[in-house]
Amino acid sequence: MTAGTYGEVLKRLEEWRKKEECSSRFLEFYQRLLGIQAKATKQIGKPKPALKSKASHERIESGWPLISFDELDLDWPLLQDVFTEVTVAFAKYPDLFGEIPKSLREPRPTLPEEMVKAWLEGAKLPSTIAGDNIDEHLLEAIIQATLRPWLTSQAKVLVSLVNQERWRRRYCPICGGSPDFAFLDKERGSRWLLCSRCDTEWLFQRLECPYCGTKDQNALAYFADDEGLYRLYVCEQCHTYIKAIDLRHTESEVLLQLERVMTLDLDRQGQEKGYQPGYSRISSRVIPQSEGS
Ligand SMILES: [Zn+2]
Ligand SMILES: [Zn+2]
């Protein structure tokens, strides 16, 4: 595991921001968000695993993620509190996210249950909350930030049930989310993906697009930086990119969640070259429609 706890990530981010005297608004926002998520994670505690080893084996074999909406066992009062704190945090940075609609600026905005379910299952989100039109990407980002403490807590207790050699799919074995970062491991340079929603790491092919699934070698390429530490994998078929770090080229301890946000320069490069971040393409989800086979 190269993903750290919220506390570890927060501590490292604080140290780094002090040392670099970095005043980036985005990192300031991110630090605030981590604080909310760390607190919620403590309140959630260690959850009971959503399912047993035999059931998990069957799901992995049939390509079905280990957590479904009903199994998440959400504490709704706590979830609504976290949702309020998260929307307040987003609203403080209109320069980054645009103006937050009125319905979300109420003292206690409500996150409807069917919206959480739709988001988790990758379905199209209802486009209004309390009659307000809300930008879909903003809404997704807010729901994702709210649900993250529950998903990462469940992921921690379930990840040992994932047979990495058997999964190797384009979506997360725990929550069904898309990857938004990758790494090449120290041992063999195998490529792993990092879930954008629950931080689970899973093994994946090096020569396959994690978004559209093409294996056409002519459509796949990567750019590396001068030190060979970072890579930008791009796909000509679906015009997406995914950022990656090559752990064979670093001695220092890496926290992937932090790498994800410290590499905004790579995002800039990718987009300048005409590619889009793949994880925002919900339509790329290819989860089987019903459980079992
Ligand atoms: Zn996940
Ligand atoms: Zn592709």
Side-chain angles (χ1 to χ4, degrees):
M1 282 290 274
T2 18
T5 64
Y6 289 107
E8 284 166 346
V9 177
L10 199 52
K11 189 163 159 257
R12 184 84 71 84
L13 181 63
E14 272 164 21
E15 285 167 5
W16 187 81
R17 286 192 61 209
K18 258 185 220 144
K19 199 172 68 195
E20 303 282 321
E21 293 176 349
C22 175
S23 62
S24 149
R25 291 273 289 162
F26 178 73
L27 289 182
E28 188 188 303
F29 161 77
Y30 182 61
Q31 191 169 344
R32 192 186 170 115
L33 201 58
L34 280 173
I36 298 169
Q37 292 165 338
K39 192 176 86 185
T41 303
K42 258 199 201 117
Q43 286 169 293
I44 293 166
K46 192 178 173 192
K48 275 210 292 287
L51 77 174
K52 300 241 160 47
S53 148
K54 182 168 178 292
S56 70
H57 175 75
E58 283 162 13
R59 288 207 197 170
I60 294 295
E61 290 302 312
S62 54
W64 196 254
L66 298 189
I67 311 180
S68 67
F69 175 73
D70 293 330
E71 289 158 341
L72 246 185
D73 196 21
L74 294 168
D75 171 348
W76 284 94
L78 178 59
L79 188 126
Q80 294 295 353
D81 286 347
V82 176
F83 179 61
T84 304
E85 286 182 61
V86 167
T87 46
V88 168
F90 274 82
K92 283 231 180 324
Y93 297 85
D95 49 326
L96 298 177
F97 307 109
E99 281 298 329
I100 302 292
K102 193 167 157 289
S103 57
L104 291 182
R105 282 184 275 122
E106 305 279 330
R108 272 191 71 79
T110 308
L111 180 60
E113 198 172 316
E114 66 270 20
M115 201 168 266
V116 175
K117 189 167 190 286
W119 174 79
L120 192 72
E121 293 172 354
K124 190 161 171 46
L125 295 180
S127 61
T128 57
I129 281 190
D132 255 356
N133 277 318
I134 298 170
D135 174 74
E136 195 186 4
H137 295 296
L138 175 64
L139 189 55
E140 262 181 43
I142 291 176
I143 299 176
Q144 173 156 331
T146 303
L147 265 292
R148 182 174 277 276
W150 278 271
L151 292 174
T152 51
S153 300
Q154 267 294 340
K156 277 211 176 70
V157 298
L158 288 174
V159 71
S160 63
L161 299 176
V162 176
N163 182 335
Q164 293 287 352
E165 287 298 338
R166 300 289 297 169
W167 184 258
R168 293 179 164 266
R169 292 174 190 259
R170 283 179 268 150
Y171 50 91
C172 170
I174 303 289
C175 78
S178 287
D180 67 347
F181 202 79
F183 69 92
L184 302 179
D185 70 25
K186 253 192 167 36
E187 294 72 31
R188 289 184 303 164
S190 306
R191 186 164 71 153
W192 293 69
L193 303 178
L194 179 71
C195 179
S196 58
R197 309 203 297 196
C198 76
D199 293 338
T200 292
E201 299 157 11
W202 74 96
L203 191 57
F204 194 69
Q205 297 64 255
R206 269 174 80 159
L207 292 169
E208 179 178 334
C209 171
Y211 299 114
C212 73
T214 188
K215 293 177 184 156
D216 178 359
Q217 307 305 297
N218 297 320
L220 301 168
Y222 72 84
F223 304 96
D225 66 346
D226 293 342
E227 289 82 45
L229 181 58
Y230 292 104
R231 288 184 181 195
L232 194 64
Y233 284 94
V234 298
C235 173
E236 294 302 336
Q237 191 102 347
C238 66
H239 304 285
T240 60
Y241 69 83
I242 188 165
K243 302 183 285 184
I245 184 168
D246 188 343
L247 297 181
R248 295 170 298 181
H249 291 255
T250 176
E251 287 307 315
S252 54
E253 194 208 342
V254 165
L255 291 178
L256 291 175
Q257 298 103 316
L258 214 45
E259 290 296 331
R260 173 198 273 148
V261 296
M262 306 280 258
T263 48
L264 297 183
D265 218 43
L266 285 176
D267 288 282
R268 214 166 2 252
Q269 287 172 31
Q271 287 164 32
E272 272 169 18
K273 292 182 201 292
Y275 303 95
Q276 291 301 312
Y279 63 92
S280 64
R281 294 167 57 96
I282 296 178
S283 58
S284 70
R285 295 268 306 275
V286 282
I287 296 178
Q289 286 306 299
S290 61
E291 198 179 338
S293 54

